[in-house]
Amino acid sequence: KNPQTGAYCGLGMFTAKTRGDRRWEAARYSLMRGNYRLKDEQWLNMCYKKSDDAAVNMLVRARVGRHRREQWFSIGMTADYKQFHPHYRRAAQWTLPSGEDWNCVSMNLFDQVMAYDDYERRFHHVDYRRGNRDLASMEVREIYVGTPIHQHGRWQHLTGSLSIDMLFRSKQQLRVTQERRSPLAGMLPFKGVDTASAGSGWTIRWYN
């Protein structure tokens, strides 16, 4: 992506469009496409910024179970999971620090999906008498931010502001460490990230 002013990593960012009442204009927005086995690339990493009053959620479309049927689940963010539609219930949860500044976080999505007793989602064509074995072959198709709440005959809008920069998957957990201040701090803190050497974190290419 082309660098954008305001993007924390300088690689372009998603920002939800909101109405005057702070409701989102659309029910969902795509963040990342690509068919991959979750077992092979277990981690999700992102930089984000949200308002303190944001009620937001992440949705995943995946092939799950013995017949590899396409199903959905939520990665909880801040929306009230008790209101989620049964087909969009949580199979994982982000831990998001409070505050309205940029933060970078990672999660092992595979481990959370495998720990199914911690969350509400129960997939079709998964024999839970076998434990989590039928979940291990999950294939992720696409990841969105979007609403899991269906009430009064329609999908309810998410609310508040949310920006996400650099959502991507990896085999290992990635971290951002800035060893020196960018000359364009506040606009484009760094130019890009080389994930080839994930064991030592993100390699940052600075703008001159």
Side-chain angles (χ1 to χ4, degrees):
K1 296 181 180 179
N2 295 325
Q4 298 178 10
T5 299
Y8 184 76
C9 299
L11 299 179
M13 66 179 178
F14 158 82
T15 298
K17 295 181 179 180
T18 57
R19 303 172 177 175
D21 58 3
R22 296 180 60 75
R23 293 193 305 164
W24 289 21
E25 290 184 355
R28 77 173 62 119
Y29 297 91
S30 177
L31 291 177
M32 186 176 73
R33 296 179 180 177
N35 300 328
Y36 71 97
R37 290 204 313 168
L38 185 57
K39 183 178 181 180
D40 295 337
E41 294 179 281
Q42 301 184 11
W43 288 87
L44 284 182
N45 312 269
M46 71 172 178
C47 295
Y48 75 94
K49 180 171 64 173
K50 66 175 181 62
S51 60
D52 281 337
D53 65 346
V56 294
N57 183 68
M58 193 170 284
L59 298 172
V60 179
R61 182 166 57 91
R63 292 190 184 275
V64 187
R66 297 190 303 278
H67 302 296
R68 304 190 58 75
R69 299 287 176 83
E70 191 169 281
Q71 302 182 61
W72 292 75
F73 66 90
S74 285
I75 305 175
M77 297 180 77
T78 63
D80 182 4
Y81 70 89
K82 295 178 183 178
Q83 301 182 52
F84 287 11
H85 187 279
H87 292 168
Y88 294 84
R89 286 177 176 156
R90 294 184 310 163
Q93 176 71 44
W94 285 104
T95 299
L96 303 180
S98 59
E100 299 189 10
D101 295 328
W102 282 102
N103 288 283
C104 295
V105 293
S106 300
M107 70 179 304
N108 190 314
L109 180 58
F110 179 78
D111 281 356
Q112 293 205 35
V113 167
M114 296 295 280
Y116 62 90
D117 276 339
D118 293 342
Y119 300 103
E120 303 79 37
R121 186 68 167 103
R122 294 295 180 268
F123 296 100
H124 299 296
H125 308 294
V126 170
D127 185 353
Y128 289 99
R129 294 172 299 181
R130 292 160 42 92
N132 57 19
R133 282 186 286 179
D134 291 341
L135 298 172
S137 61
M138 178 180 289
E139 181 182 289
V140 174
R141 307 295 303 280
E142 193 163 0
I143 299 178
Y144 309 76
V145 284
T147 182
I149 302 172
H150 191 271
Q151 294 176 340
H152 312 299
R154 62 179 183 176
W155 293 103
Q156 301 300 303
H157 289 266
L158 299 176
T159 59
S161 64
L162 173 70
S163 297
I164 292 178
D165 196 8
M166 288 192 65
L167 174 73
F168 59 94
R169 63 188 188 263
S170 62
K171 295 181 179 180
Q172 299 172 318
Q173 183 179 8
L174 306 181
R175 295 182 176 88
V176 169
T177 56
Q178 295 190 17
E179 296 181 357
R180 63 184 175 88
R181 187 174 179 82
S182 167
L184 296 178
M187 293 180 59
L188 300 172
F190 48 87
K191 181 179 180 181
V193 171
D194 178 6
T195 63
S197 179
S200 59
W202 295 356
T203 301
I204 295 172
R205 301 193 301 273
W206 298 91
Y207 279 101
N208 296 322

